[in-house]
């Protein structure tokens, strides 16, 4: 079993910053892509950003230039630094991790429980 523990959400004023963390633990041999998604009230869950094991990153347009995704492979942890936050960034943020439990096994995915980010105007 693999668990993801997210932290760092909260209430912030527009223009402020927050840093989310997501730590993976359990039966992990290797991790490939780690990503952050969000789901606003009444909307579908959407990709925010992801990062491959080699460090390449991908950002969705609404967050480009404001959010930065990073990872610490030694700690199996992914971060999301969110700057210049806007009210439309309000959502529950989820991390998603693709991992292998042992060599040669196919990649599996696991989701975090979500952390709420609220941006007030």
């Amino acid at each position: 079993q693999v668990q993801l523990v997210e932290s760092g959400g909260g209430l912030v004023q527009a223009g402020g910053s927050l840093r989310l963390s997501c730590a993976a633990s359990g039966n992990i041999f290797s991790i490939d892509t780690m990503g952050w998604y969000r789901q606003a009230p009444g909307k579908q869950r959407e990709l925010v950003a992801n990062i491959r094991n080699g460090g390449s990153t991908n950002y969705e347009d609404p967050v480009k230039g404001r959010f930065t995704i990073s990872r610490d492979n030694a700690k199996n942890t992914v971060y999301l630094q969110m700057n210049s936050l806007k009210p439309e960034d309000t959502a529950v943020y989820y991390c998603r991790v693709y991992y292998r439990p042992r060599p040669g096994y196919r990649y599996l995915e696991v989701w975090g429980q979500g952390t709420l980010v609220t941006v007030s105007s």
Side-chain angles (χ1 to χ4, degrees):
Q1 291 285 350
V2 172
Q3 295 83 35
L4 302 182
V5 177
E6 301 170 4
S7 61
L11 173 64
V12 64
Q13 289 188 334
S17 299
L18 284 175
R19 188 189 192 214
L20 306 183
S21 299
C22 173
S25 63
N27 187 26
I28 298 171
F29 169 72
S30 64
I31 294 177
D32 184 15
T33 303
M34 307 179 85
W36 288 96
Y37 292 70
R38 67 186 181 186
Q39 187 167 16
K43 295 187 177 181
Q44 290 189 335
R45 192 174 298 186
E46 62 180 11
L47 174 67
V48 174
N50 55 32
I51 182 168
R52 298 292 301 273
N53 185 36
S56 61
T57 58
N58 171 62
Y59 297 91
E60 292 301 291
D61 286 344
V63 307
K64 283 182 179 177
R66 300 187 297 123
F67 292 9
T68 302
I69 190 170
S70 60
R71 62 191 284 170
D72 184 334
N73 290 332
K75 296 180 179 180
N76 288 340
T77 299
V78 61
Y79 306 95
L80 186 68
Q81 177 67 44
M82 305 185 294
N83 299 328
S84 302
L85 282 160
K86 304 174 181 180
E88 51 263 43
D89 294 317
T90 295
V92 177
Y93 284 71
Y94 299 88
C95 65
R96 182 189 193 185
V97 170
Y98 284 92
Y99 71 98
R100 280 180 174 171
R102 55 184 179 272
Y105 200 80
R106 64 184 176 90
Y107 279 99
L108 306 175
E109 69 168 9
V110 59
W111 288 86
Q113 80 284 359
T115 185
L116 177 62
V117 172
T118 304
V119 185
S120 63
S121 58

